[in-house]
Amino acid sequence: MNYFNFAINFLTILALSWYLILNLQWYNYKLKRVILNHHKRSWHILYFVLPLVLWINLEEKYFSIALIVYIIALFLWNKKLDKTLVYTKRVNRFFIILTFLLISTYFTDSKFYALASLFITLIASNLTEKLLFLKYKKDARRKLDNIKNLKIVAITASFGKTSIKNFLYYILKNSFNTYKTPRSVNTIAGLVLDVNKDLPKNIDIYIAEAGARVKGDIKTIANFLDPQYVIIGSIGEQHIEYFKSLENIKNTKKELLLSKRVKKAFVHQSTDLKDTNGIEVFPKDLKILKSDLDGLSFSFLINDKEEEFFAPILGSFNAINLSAVILLALELGLTLEEIRKSLKTLPQVEHRLQKIEAGGKLIIDDSFNGNFEGMMEAFNMCKNYNGRRVVITPGLVESNDESNIKIAKKIDEVFDFVIITGELNLEILEKNISKDKVFVLKDKSKMQDILASSTKSGDLILFANDAPNFI
């Protein structure tokens, strides 16, 4: 093979591989999800299938022009993404294997071998990562075992698990040396990495989230963490496209109870479980006393006695999350007065009904809240605001059309100006919201300019859910 043909084939496979590994990173390195569950499959045709077909059918000297266009198109497309490729050790290993295989194709004169390099790299990379993961997982479990008297709290829910984790950490941190998983880390791979890399060796309590996309995901986490304390929060139809039914979601969440060391589990009523030895259903007789832009007051039964609480956070649904936190804090030895004192200074969770005042505008950042109940709660709360109301939303992601229609109708009822981001639910939202209220934002990088020109002092601006632009 001459140098020119080799260079063309090398760059083509490299570009195709870059697009593929980026999509794999978005979808947790699950090729099946990239193929079957991708929200913008037209990208696959434009940035993978079409270039691949042209490369296979054209001689290198003719395809070279198309390759230049393809690389420029990838570059411009990448600039518009809000989640670009992160060059992790896994990604770097992928490209090292690929480069080695592609260099070896110089001694052949076949595009078949160049293309085969990509598929061999996928297989070799996957096998390598599985072997490395087994080692990392074993190291992480050994580290957990070596921390004397460590109490592990595992939390799962369809929605609210990150809030529960953050609330619980704040309540416990003054009484125990406590560590929580960062951000929304909730996969087995993320937990193993967190334990190995960041978990301190002198802690009393480790608080971790458990998330799932398929049956068995949480069972794997339960077997790894083996927590003594479990919280299963509200369960709903989040990620219904993966689980197919609400019953499958419930059964998957309840896999957290398979831990062999569970001493106490607090499970929400939506699990359909009953009070048994070691399992307590919550909340009992929950009452929302007040929920507005100043905070949340609520009560529920603890040991058959009604107890009242206040927290300066938004959203009546957080009373459910806080009731689980309160019960577990009591189980770990805190008093009601200690809990009440901490709740009064409870900080807001970033991007979850976070109240921000800036430039005379009231901003409610609920961009990480992607469930139906939470979004409806945010809309109802905004309804009572005495001023112009603006919402920025893509609608519900990984949900059904019926729920998005209800969301759209509520938006039309409450808000004066609606900015729709993304194309996923655009048709449904436009059909059910008054046309004179709607602005479609196709390029999210221009959001700041749009808000500056279309909002004014005194406006309420709600960021209701967010989705990366590959969705």
Side-chain angles (χ1 to χ4, degrees), residues 36-52:
L36 300 180
N37 299 114
H38 203 287
H39 293 83
K40 291 189 175 179
R41 294 180 195 171
S42 59
W43 286 358
H44 292 347
I45 297 172
L46 186 59
Y47 298 113
F48 193 88
V49 175
L50 180 60
L52 178 62

Side-chain angles (χ1 to χ4, degrees), residues 424-435:
L424 182 63
N425 299 307
L426 180 59
E427 184 178 349
I428 289 176
L429 295 176
E430 283 191 313
K431 280 184 179 179
N432 292 278
I433 301 174
S434 301
K435 291 183 179 179

Side-chain angles (χ1 to χ4, degrees), residues 227-281:
Q228 298 98 323
Y229 301 95
V230 166
I231 293 176
I232 303 179
S234 301
I235 298 178
E237 294 185 344
Q238 197 77 349
H239 308 309
I240 192 73
E241 66 178 80
Y242 298 112
F243 290 98
K244 306 306 180 185
S245 73
L246 182 58
E247 193 62 28
N248 287 338
I249 296 174
K250 289 181 181 181
N251 290 335
T252 301
K253 299 300 181 186
K254 287 186 281 190
E255 289 173 357
L256 203 54
L257 299 172
L258 296 175
S259 167
K260 298 180 180 67
R261 297 194 300 172
V262 173
K263 293 180 179 179
K264 190 74 174 184
F266 298 97
V267 301
H268 186 252
Q269 296 163 351
S270 55
T271 60
D272 296 332
L273 294 172
K274 305 295 182 184
D275 285 339
T276 58
N277 185 32
I279 296 178
E280 182 174 336
V281 178

Side-chain angles (χ1 to χ4, degrees), residues 216-230:
D217 279 355
I218 290 180
K219 180 182 178 181
T220 300
I221 292 173
N223 291 337
F224 166 64
L225 290 176
D226 211 10
Q228 298 98 323
Y229 301 95
V230 166

